[in-house]
Amino acid sequence: MAGNRAVVFTKPGEVEVQDIQYPDLVLRDGPGVNPLNVGRKCNHGVVLKIVTTNICGSDQHMVRGRTTAPSGLVLGHEITGEVIETGSDVEFIKKGDLVSVPFNIACGRCRSCKERDTHICENVNPDRPGSAYGYVDMGGWVGGQSEYVMVPYADFQLLKFPDKDQAMEKILDLTMLSDIFPTGYHGAVSAGVRPGSTVYVAGAGPVGLAAAHSAQLLGASTVIVGDMIEERLAQARSFGCETVNLKEHSNLGEQIDQILRAPEVDCAIDAVGFEARGHGDDSGHEAPATVLNSIMNVTRAGGRLGIPGLYVTGDPGAVDDEAKEGTLKIRLGLGWAKAHTFVTGQTPVMRYHRDLMMSILSGRAQIAKAVNATLISLDNAPEGYREFDGGASKKFVIDPHNMVNYS
């Protein structure tokens, strides 16, 4: 039996690479596994040899201790791999296939899945609709920042790359299909971006940069990205975005006016989420409703707000008791008065990943360049977490088996 190593959350601020159980086609008991999921048979699943697996900002929320994630949780929901074992019920996916794994786990059988809402599958998480690999309160499915991982419902979920050699040449782009590229794209689609739109993106982390690139692909005339870290803003400028340093400027509308000659945009995207901070002189203080309120301020009446940024129902490190349970001081009256449309929640990855794959393979999408994809080994994952938490403008891609050409 082969071994297996993985990135494991141990305590707030720390992850370790540890030996874990080699996967089989059963969901075993372990940290974070819902008791109702223990022993769940997955003959519809496959075992993957991980080719690439990415560190996500959502992982960082757990590592910072801002969720109820248990010690020992195996991290990682952004997974690309080679099929090395198939369950008896798998008909179409074959050994040797190179595939992208949507981070949402979806059965393909429930009402939500049949309506293409695979982000709120009703059968994979006993706590509530929606699930993901290696994530708190998501059913306990083992994460994929590892050498090997089990993926259920393979025929329904997996996106097979049509040519393995071509895929490996573009693997730094294709690895983004499991989450951040569809998530950024969903943010832009939800915000109603269309040819000629002016767009504000809050946050220049990987999802924000993916949203900005997606807005460009959708035909936006101007994409403005706001952040407090100059290195990340420089990355946004590297592919044609305008930028606003929110640490230096408190009045976002004035900054947008200097760029557009108008203080409002057509639509906006929140790629920050619940760990937002104040702007300008208040940038040293956490203020979780800041982004939501600011994008309502600067989005025109009748505009749409795409909100792929993560908001949680349990945040032990929040600034007050209300925020600890996800209750934020949002100016809903302003949004009502301006007739805004809000779109929130996980991204239904399967709604977008095939089209985005074709955009990558054709050369139209350059997502790895946009997010500054940076390869690291599995052993270097803890340092990658530390560097990413410090604000590095990089999307860390873990290569557990040294399968990717580093040149």
Side-chain angles (χ1 to χ4, degrees):
M1 178 67 70
N4 194 16
R5 300 166 69 235
V7 180
V8 176
F9 168 65
T10 56
K11 62 182 180 180
E14 291 190 15
V15 300
E16 295 178 359
V17 178
Q18 298 182 0
D19 292 326
I20 66 167
Q21 184 177 7
Y22 184 85
D24 57 7
L25 299 177
V26 178
L27 182 52
R28 307 290 183 182
D29 197 7
V33 180
N34 189 296
L36 297 175
N37 262 351
V38 173
R40 187 167 180 163
K41 295 181 180 179
C42 297
N43 294 327
H44 43 65
V46 299
V47 174
L48 298 183
K49 179 180 181 180
I50 301 297
V51 175
T52 53
T53 177
N54 316 327
I55 296 175
C56 181
S58 297
D59 298 321
Q60 286 285 16
H61 293 306
M62 292 187 291
V63 174
R64 292 186 189 119
R66 297 301 297 270
T67 71
T68 56
S71 177
L73 186 72
V74 178
L75 299 171
H77 56 271
E78 301 190 16
I79 303 166
T80 305
E82 180 183 4
V83 177
I84 60 173
E85 179 184 344
T86 61
S88 59
D89 293 344
V90 178
E91 186 176 359
F92 305 112
I93 293 294
K94 306 299 183 184
K95 290 181 182 180
D97 287 347
L98 187 60
V99 297
S100 177
V101 182
F103 80 89
N104 335 96
I105 302 171
C107 71
R109 298 154 166 82
C110 68
R111 175 179 176 178
S112 292
C113 286
K114 289 178 179 179
E115 294 182 359
R116 301 184 74 203
D117 291 328
T118 54
H119 57 311
I120 47 174
C121 174
E122 299 160 34
N123 289 331
V124 289
N125 182 1
D127 288 327
R128 60 176 181 264
S131 189
Y133 303 89
Y135 212 84
V136 60
D137 296 333
M138 289 291 183
W141 300 89
V142 179
Q145 285 175 15
S146 56
E147 294 174 321
Y148 303 92
V149 72
M150 188 269 284
V151 174
Y153 304 105
D155 279 331
F156 176 64
Q157 294 191 100
L158 296 181
L159 176 66
K160 177 185 172 181
F161 300 138
D163 183 275
K164 290 179 70 173
D165 291 337
Q166 180 192 31
M168 288 304 296
E169 291 176 1
K170 291 182 175 287
I171 197 66
L172 289 183
D173 292 283
L174 294 171
T175 191
M176 306 304 167
L177 290 174
S178 57
D179 183 356
I180 69 160
F181 197 8
T183 294
Y185 192 83
H186 180 62
V189 169
S190 299
V193 178
R194 59 181 185 267
S197 294
T198 57
V199 185
Y200 175 68
V201 180
V207 169
L209 296 173
H213 184 46
S214 297
Q216 293 174 331
L217 291 173
L218 289 166
S221 61
T222 306
V223 180
I224 304 168
V225 179
D227 202 283
M228 299 180 186
I229 300 175
E230 185 54 39
E231 180 185 352
R232 290 184 167 186
L233 293 173
Q235 180 64 26
R237 290 193 293 271
S238 74
F239 59 95
C241 298
E242 302 285 344
T243 61
V244 174
N245 190 319
L246 299 169
K247 190 173 184 179
E248 298 175 358
H249 304 288
S250 60
N251 192 316
L252 178 59
E254 288 183 359
Q255 300 307 307
I256 289 174
D257 186 55
Q258 291 183 15
I259 296 168
L260 298 177
R261 301 298 182 262
E264 291 185 323
V265 291
D266 295 322
C267 46
I269 302 166
D270 172 5
V272 177
F274 73 104
E275 287 193 67
R277 309 187 78 80
H279 297 169
D281 292 339
D282 293 327
S283 61
H285 304 286
E286 190 167 302
T290 296
V291 170
L292 293 172
N293 289 327
S294 66
I295 62 176
M296 283 190 280
N297 272 326
V298 301
T299 301
R300 70 173 182 85
R304 298 174 62 93
L305 311 178
I307 309 172
L310 176 66
Y311 290 87
V312 296
T313 57
D315 175 9
V319 293
D320 55 47
D321 289 340
E322 289 184 334
K324 286 181 180 180
E325 59 180 25
T327 301
L328 309 182
K329 297 178 180 178
I330 299 168
R331 295 187 64 196
L332 188 59
L334 175 61
W336 189 94
K338 297 179 79 171
H340 284 157
T341 299
F342 299 74
V343 181
T344 67
Q346 286 187 36
T347 296
V349 170
M350 293 179 67
R351 198 177 296 175
Y352 307 110
H353 65 174
R354 184 173 297 278
D355 289 345
L356 295 177
M357 176 186 72
M358 297 308 296
S359 295
I360 289 170
L361 294 178
S362 71
R364 171 71 172 155
Q366 302 285 332
I367 187 64
K369 180 181 178 182
V371 302
N372 193 19
T374 303
L375 276 168
I376 60 174
S377 69
L378 185 65
D379 287 324
N380 285 335
E383 177 57 32
Y385 269 93
R386 286 189 289 271
E387 191 173 342
F388 187 35
D389 192 45
S393 185
K394 300 175 182 178
K395 177 65 174 178
F396 287 105
V397 178
I398 300 170
D399 176 10
H401 296 281
N402 195 28
M403 296 177 70
V404 181
N405 186 347
Y406 280 70
S407 62

